[in-house]
Amino acid sequence: HDKLAARTRLLCDGLQSVADGEGVAFSTNRVGGMFGVFFSAEKVRSYTQATAADVALFNRFFHGMLKRGVYLAPSAFEAGFMSSAHTPDVIEATIAAAREAFKVVAAG
């Protein structure tokens, strides 16, 4: 479980870093092997905050990632799940795809 949580942290921290680099309001939540992403400048800690996140930006990001071969949960309100199949190389490739998808999101 510790290795799985570390991989989840690696992914979420990487996504946050590239979003920050593109100036996209974005935050992640995680526990163990489960994570959520929100297009919100503030950390999401409540239902109200989650539903206030920008769903249109999530949709653009989702389709940008899909175009780059990364399938995320298709709803802005669904959790993602990591597994032992998500090696550091896979996580690195996912973050690289996210860098490009965040550029599309930032461009509007």
Side-chain angles (χ1 to χ4, degrees):
H1 291 281
D2 291 340
K3 287 182 183 180
L4 186 60
R7 289 178 185 192
T8 306
R9 182 175 38 0
L10 182 64
L11 175 65
C12 289
D13 289 353
L15 293 174
Q16 188 67 60
S17 178
V18 295
D20 291 347
E22 292 299 325
V24 175
F26 182 81
S27 68
T28 65
N29 289 346
R30 67 178 187 274
V31 62
M34 185 170 65
F35 67 95
V37 301
F38 298 95
F39 284 82
S40 172
E42 62 183 22
K43 190 76 168 170
V44 173
R45 300 184 195 284
S46 71
Y47 174 80
T48 301
Q49 290 172 306
T51 57
D54 194 325
V55 175
L57 288 184
F58 172 85
N59 289 337
R60 285 207 307 263
F61 180 70
F62 170 81
H63 287 286
M65 292 295 279
L66 191 60
K67 182 178 177 181
R68 290 161 180 81
V70 178
Y71 184 77
L72 300 171
S75 168
F77 308 109
E78 285 185 73
F81 296 91
M82 298 292 287
S83 75
S84 60
H86 295 105
T87 63
D89 289 343
V90 170
I91 294 167
E92 185 177 313
T94 302
I95 293 167
R99 182 174 288 110
E100 297 304 312
F102 278 123
K103 287 179 183 179
V104 172
V105 169

mmCIF file of all heavy atoms in Angstrom, residues 4 13-14 19 25 27 35 39 41 44 52 58 63 65 68 75-76 87 89 95 102 104 106:
data_model
loop_
_atom_site.group_PDB
_atom_site.id
_atom_site.type_symbol
_atom_site.label_atom_id
_atom_site.label_comp_id
_atom_site.label_asym_id
_atom_site.label_seq_id
_atom_site.Cartn_x
_atom_site.Cartn_y
_atom_site.Cartn_z
ATOM 1 N N LEU A 4 1.972 1.976 -3.541
ATOM 2 C CA LEU A 4 0.842 2.471 -4.311
ATOM 3 C C LEU A 4 0.560 3.934 -3.973
ATOM 4 O O LEU A 4 0.366 4.770 -4.860
ATOM 5 C CB LEU A 4 -0.394 1.619 -4.045
ATOM 6 C CG LEU A 4 -1.629 1.918 -4.881
ATOM 7 C CD1 LEU A 4 -1.349 1.720 -6.364
ATOM 8 C CD2 LEU A 4 -2.770 1.020 -4.434
ATOM 9 N N ASP A 13 1.410 15.032 -7.757
ATOM 10 C CA ASP A 13 2.378 16.128 -7.674
ATOM 11 C C ASP A 13 2.844 16.549 -9.064
ATOM 12 O O ASP A 13 3.013 17.743 -9.337
ATOM 13 C CB ASP A 13 3.579 15.731 -6.817
ATOM 14 C CG ASP A 13 3.260 15.619 -5.338
ATOM 15 O OD1 ASP A 13 2.130 15.986 -4.923
ATOM 16 O OD2 ASP A 13 4.137 15.136 -4.590
ATOM 17 N N GLY A 14 3.033 15.591 -9.946
ATOM 18 C CA GLY A 14 3.427 15.907 -11.322
ATOM 19 C C GLY A 14 2.351 16.662 -12.068
ATOM 20 O O GLY A 14 2.637 17.637 -12.776
ATOM 21 N N ALA A 19 0.329 21.797 -14.289
ATOM 22 C CA ALA A 19 -0.790 22.745 -14.296
ATOM 23 C C ALA A 19 -0.310 24.117 -13.830
ATOM 24 O O ALA A 19 -0.623 25.140 -14.448
ATOM 25 C CB ALA A 19 -1.933 22.249 -13.409
ATOM 26 N N ALA A 25 -5.650 26.884 -13.006
ATOM 27 C CA ALA A 25 -6.173 26.657 -11.652
ATOM 28 C C ALA A 25 -6.537 25.187 -11.537
ATOM 29 O O ALA A 25 -7.435 24.701 -12.225
ATOM 30 C CB ALA A 25 -7.384 27.538 -11.402
ATOM 31 N N SER A 27 -6.220 21.522 -8.727
ATOM 32 C CA SER A 27 -5.830 20.902 -7.461
ATOM 33 C C SER A 27 -6.152 19.417 -7.516
ATOM 34 O O SER A 27 -6.984 18.978 -8.312
ATOM 35 C CB SER A 27 -6.527 21.561 -6.272
ATOM 36 O OG SER A 27 -7.913 21.298 -6.295
ATOM 37 N N PHE A 35 -7.379 8.945 -6.398
ATOM 38 C CA PHE A 35 -7.131 10.375 -6.532
ATOM 39 C C PHE A 35 -8.277 11.061 -7.269
ATOM 40 O O PHE A 35 -9.048 10.424 -7.991
ATOM 41 C CB PHE A 35 -5.803 10.640 -7.269
ATOM 42 C CG PHE A 35 -5.818 10.206 -8.711
ATOM 43 C CD1 PHE A 35 -6.115 11.112 -9.724
ATOM 44 C CD2 PHE A 35 -5.525 8.896 -9.059
ATOM 45 C CE1 PHE A 35 -6.131 10.713 -11.054
ATOM 46 C CE2 PHE A 35 -5.540 8.485 -10.387
ATOM 47 C CZ PHE A 35 -5.842 9.400 -11.388
ATOM 48 N N PHE A 39 -10.477 21.399 -11.350
ATOM 49 C CA PHE A 39 -10.029 22.660 -11.933
ATOM 50 C C PHE A 39 -10.513 23.769 -11.020
ATOM 51 O O PHE A 39 -11.553 24.399 -11.248
ATOM 52 C CB PHE A 39 -10.498 22.776 -13.385
ATOM 53 C CG PHE A 39 -9.657 21.903 -14.277
ATOM 54 C CD1 PHE A 39 -9.921 20.556 -14.393
ATOM 55 C CD2 PHE A 39 -8.558 22.423 -14.919
ATOM 56 C CE1 PHE A 39 -9.119 19.729 -15.159
ATOM 57 C CE2 PHE A 39 -7.740 21.614 -15.695
ATOM 58 C CZ PHE A 39 -8.025 20.261 -15.817
ATOM 59 N N ALA A 41 -8.619 26.674 -8.042
ATOM 60 C CA ALA A 41 -7.396 27.219 -7.452
ATOM 61 C C ALA A 41 -7.239 26.810 -5.992
ATOM 62 O O ALA A 41 -6.126 26.785 -5.477
ATOM 63 C CB ALA A 41 -7.390 28.736 -7.580
ATOM 64 N N VAL A 44 -9.895 21.347 -2.774
ATOM 65 C CA VAL A 44 -11.301 20.965 -2.639
ATOM 66 C C VAL A 44 -11.461 20.067 -1.419
ATOM 67 O O VAL A 44 -10.860 18.997 -1.329
ATOM 68 C CB VAL A 44 -11.795 20.264 -3.919
ATOM 69 C CG1 VAL A 44 -13.191 19.701 -3.734
ATOM 70 C CG2 VAL A 44 -11.755 21.237 -5.093
ATOM 71 N N ALA A 52 -18.218 23.579 -7.487
ATOM 72 C CA ALA A 52 -17.848 24.910 -7.993
ATOM 73 C C ALA A 52 -16.648 24.837 -8.940
ATOM 74 O O ALA A 52 -16.351 25.813 -9.636
ATOM 75 C CB ALA A 52 -17.542 25.852 -6.834
ATOM 76 N N PHE A 58 -12.296 20.727 -17.083
ATOM 77 C CA PHE A 58 -12.068 19.298 -16.910
ATOM 78 C C PHE A 58 -12.361 18.566 -18.213
ATOM 79 O O PHE A 58 -11.578 17.699 -18.629
ATOM 80 C CB PHE A 58 -12.938 18.696 -15.793
ATOM 81 C CG PHE A 58 -12.827 17.196 -15.758
ATOM 82 C CD1 PHE A 58 -11.797 16.583 -15.073
ATOM 83 C CD2 PHE A 58 -13.727 16.404 -16.468
ATOM 84 C CE1 PHE A 58 -11.658 15.193 -15.080
ATOM 85 C CE2 PHE A 58 -13.603 15.023 -16.481
ATOM 86 C CZ PHE A 58 -12.564 14.417 -15.792
ATOM 87 N N HIS A 63 -10.498 15.270 -22.696
ATOM 88 C CA HIS A 63 -10.385 14.958 -24.129
ATOM 89 C C HIS A 63 -8.953 15.137 -24.625
ATOM 90 O O HIS A 63 -8.505 14.378 -25.497
ATOM 91 C CB HIS A 63 -11.386 15.779 -24.938
ATOM 92 C CG HIS A 63 -12.782 15.284 -24.756
ATOM 93 N ND1 HIS A 63 -13.247 14.120 -25.331
ATOM 94 C CD2 HIS A 63 -13.814 15.771 -24.036
ATOM 95 C CE1 HIS A 63 -14.500 13.911 -24.982
ATOM 96 N NE2 HIS A 63 -14.869 14.900 -24.188
ATOM 97 N N MET A 65 -6.280 14.556 -22.832
ATOM 98 C CA MET A 65 -5.558 13.372 -22.357
ATOM 99 C C MET A 65 -5.944 12.149 -23.183
ATOM 100 O O MET A 65 -5.076 11.349 -23.562
ATOM 101 C CB MET A 65 -5.835 13.137 -20.874
ATOM 102 C CG MET A 65 -5.251 14.199 -19.969
ATOM 103 S SD MET A 65 -3.449 14.258 -19.991
ATOM 104 C CE MET A 65 -3.083 12.903 -18.862
ATOM 105 N N ARG A 68 -4.182 11.883 -26.283
ATOM 106 C CA ARG A 68 -2.780 11.523 -26.076
ATOM 107 C C ARG A 68 -2.625 10.114 -25.491
ATOM 108 O O ARG A 68 -1.563 9.745 -25.016
ATOM 109 C CB ARG A 68 -2.120 12.570 -25.185
ATOM 110 C CG ARG A 68 -1.956 13.883 -25.920
ATOM 111 C CD ARG A 68 -1.745 15.074 -25.009
ATOM 112 N NE ARG A 68 -1.595 16.283 -25.797
ATOM 113 C CZ ARG A 68 -2.612 16.979 -26.316
ATOM 114 N NH1 ARG A 68 -3.858 16.585 -26.121
ATOM 115 N NH2 ARG A 68 -2.389 18.067 -27.036
ATOM 116 N N SER A 75 -15.884 11.699 -15.799
ATOM 117 C CA SER A 75 -16.647 12.723 -15.090
ATOM 118 C C SER A 75 -15.720 13.501 -14.169
ATOM 119 O O SER A 75 -14.818 12.926 -13.539
ATOM 120 C CB SER A 75 -17.763 12.083 -14.257
ATOM 121 O OG SER A 75 -18.325 13.044 -13.368
ATOM 122 N N ALA A 76 -15.961 14.787 -14.075
ATOM 123 C CA ALA A 76 -15.166 15.632 -13.183
ATOM 124 C C ALA A 76 -15.328 15.229 -11.722
ATOM 125 O O ALA A 76 -14.549 15.659 -10.872
ATOM 126 C CB ALA A 76 -15.572 17.094 -13.373
ATOM 127 N N THR A 87 3.689 2.082 -13.453
ATOM 128 C CA THR A 87 5.095 2.186 -13.097
ATOM 129 C C THR A 87 5.552 3.642 -13.185
ATOM 130 O O THR A 87 4.852 4.477 -13.778
ATOM 131 C CB THR A 87 5.943 1.339 -14.047
ATOM 132 O OG1 THR A 87 5.805 1.878 -15.370
ATOM 133 C CG2 THR A 87 5.534 -0.136 -14.020
ATOM 134 N N ASP A 89 7.637 4.878 -15.162
ATOM 135 C CA ASP A 89 7.681 5.259 -16.582
ATOM 136 C C ASP A 89 6.295 5.627 -17.106
ATOM 137 O O ASP A 89 6.146 6.581 -17.869
ATOM 138 C CB ASP A 89 8.254 4.122 -17.437
ATOM 139 C CG ASP A 89 9.742 3.918 -17.229
ATOM 140 O OD1 ASP A 89 10.412 4.830 -16.696
ATOM 141 O OD2 ASP A 89 10.239 2.841 -17.612
ATOM 142 N N ILE A 95 2.297 12.306 -17.150
ATOM 143 C CA ILE A 95 2.576 13.707 -16.835
ATOM 144 C C ILE A 95 2.991 14.466 -18.094
ATOM 145 O O ILE A 95 2.579 15.617 -18.303
ATOM 146 C CB ILE A 95 3.628 13.803 -15.713
ATOM 147 C CG1 ILE A 95 3.030 13.261 -14.410
ATOM 148 C CG2 ILE A 95 4.112 15.243 -15.533
ATOM 149 C CD1 ILE A 95 4.050 13.015 -13.312
ATOM 150 N N PHE A 102 -2.664 20.413 -20.713
ATOM 151 C CA PHE A 102 -2.824 21.656 -19.959
ATOM 152 C C PHE A 102 -2.552 22.873 -20.855
ATOM 153 O O PHE A 102 -3.159 23.923 -20.650
ATOM 154 C CB PHE A 102 -1.917 21.696 -18.726
ATOM 155 C CG PHE A 102 -2.462 20.959 -17.546
ATOM 156 C CD1 PHE A 102 -1.737 19.935 -16.953
ATOM 157 C CD2 PHE A 102 -3.700 21.297 -16.995
ATOM 158 C CE1 PHE A 102 -2.230 19.259 -15.846
ATOM 159 C CE2 PHE A 102 -4.201 20.613 -15.889
ATOM 160 C CZ PHE A 102 -3.469 19.603 -15.316
ATOM 161 N N VAL A 104 -3.433 23.116 -23.935
ATOM 162 C CA VAL A 104 -4.716 23.297 -24.637
ATOM 163 C C VAL A 104 -5.729 23.943 -23.723
ATOM 164 O O VAL A 104 -6.440 24.866 -24.117
ATOM 165 C CB VAL A 104 -5.229 21.934 -25.173
ATOM 166 C CG1 VAL A 104 -6.632 22.059 -25.728
ATOM 167 C CG2 VAL A 104 -4.275 21.367 -26.218
ATOM 168 N N ALA A 106 -5.121 25.846 -21.115
ATOM 169 C CA ALA A 106 -4.715 27.223 -20.837
ATOM 170 C C ALA A 106 -5.003 28.149 -22.020
ATOM 171 O O ALA A 106 -5.340 29.324 -21.821
ATOM 172 C CB ALA A 106 -3.229 27.267 -20.485
#
